[in-house]
Structures are given as structure tokens and as C-alpha cells.
Amino acid sequence: MAAPDPEHLFEQAEALAAPPPAGPPKQVSLRRAISSAYYGVFHFIVAAAADQLAGVTRRSTSEYGRVYRSIEHKNVRELCENINKQNLPARYLPHVPANGLGTDIIAFSAAFVELQEKRHAADYDPMIRVKLSDARLAIRTARAAVGRFNAASNARRKAFLSLLLFPPRRG
């Protein structure tokens, strides 16, 4: 299986957000840059979850593919929204480190939600006009989100990924 490489998606976004030799950037390029930035983060976190459960060395197996494909955008968003609440919902508390998920996971979660909203607008809202600065900001936000996730402790990363793969039941 050849999952999309997040770095390649970020590079694609940067190429799309590069100013053309003459004239203003095309809206379609700026919109696709925002979308590629979001997808870089999405594929990064999906790969991290599949690596944790199936294993990095098993990336070419159908088991890995099932784990990878089982994660939906809305599930990542729901987890990230819950992490960004003032107080983490009670159902999550038994599954996180005693000192919480930390600022890096919280920052990652906030960036994921922000990027998904920007992607939805870029992909579906015909009324918005995207500026070059919007696309560049989305790319910086995406790269920073990956950096923040990687900066979190192993225990906090594992807690996040476990909650993503196995969300606790409500009530």
C-alpha cells in the first residue's frame, strides 16, 4: 500500500501557492493548496494511528490498509473538538495520562479543526475569494500541527491515537 506521504502533500500545497510569473495566482491553485495542506495533516494522523495498531513494518498488509481506511474525517474532528473543550469530557479521562494530553496535542487538535474548516470553505464555498496569504497560512499551520503532534510525549501521542481508534462510549 502506498499511502499519501504528508510531506509530499505539503510540497504540493507550497507549489500551488507559489506566485505565478505574471498576474495573480489562480483561485483553483490557492484552493487546492489549502486542501492539500489539510490532507497532509489528515494522512499524517491516519498513518500514525495505523502505525501504532498494525505496525510500521506492516504497511504493505491488508490489516494496515483496513486500519488506515477505517478512520474517517468526522471522527478525527470530533476527537479534536472534544480535546479543545475547556474540560475534557469525562468519558475520555480514564484514557489519558494523569496530567492530561498536554499543550502539543491540544494545539494539534485546534489546528486540525481549523484546517478542516478552511478546506471545506476552499473546496465547497463558491463565494469566498482565497488570498495567497490564506494558502500560505494554511500550509504553515499544517506543518506546525505535525510538529506539535511529534513534540508531544509518547504517552500523550499514544493516548490520542488510542482515543481515535477506539473512542470511549458515551454514557
Side-chain angles (χ1 to χ4, degrees), residues 3 6 11 13 15 21 27 30 32 55 67 69 73 76 78 86 89 92 95 97 100 102 104 121 131 135 140 142:
E11 290 169 3
Q27 279 294 294
L30 297 177
R32 291 304 308 149
V67 174
R69 295 278 300 139
H73 297 263
V76 182
E78 181 181 331
Q86 182 91 17
Y92 291 101
H95 310 288
D104 290 317
K131 296 181 286 190
R140 283 193 309 273

Side-chain angles (χ1 to χ4, degrees), residues 65 97 119:
R119 188 206 53 101

Side-chain angles (χ1 to χ4, degrees), residues 4 9 32 34-46 67-81 108-109 112-117 119-120 123-124 160 164:
L9 287 161
R32 291 304 308 149
I34 290 171
S35 191
S36 291
Y38 164 76
Y39 277 108
V41 175
F42 177 75
H43 285 287
F44 164 79
I45 204 63
V46 170
V67 174
Y68 196 100
R69 295 278 300 139
S70 73
I71 300 169
E72 297 182 12
H73 297 263
K74 67 178 181 167
N75 299 78
V76 182
R77 181 185 178 106
E78 181 181 331
L79 174 58
C80 288
E81 286 175 336
F108 170 85
S109 297
F112 183 91
V113 171
E114 175 187 337
L115 287 164
Q116 190 181 68
E117 289 169 356
R119 188 206 53 101
H120 285 168
D123 286 354
Y124 303 117
F160 178 93
L164 178 59

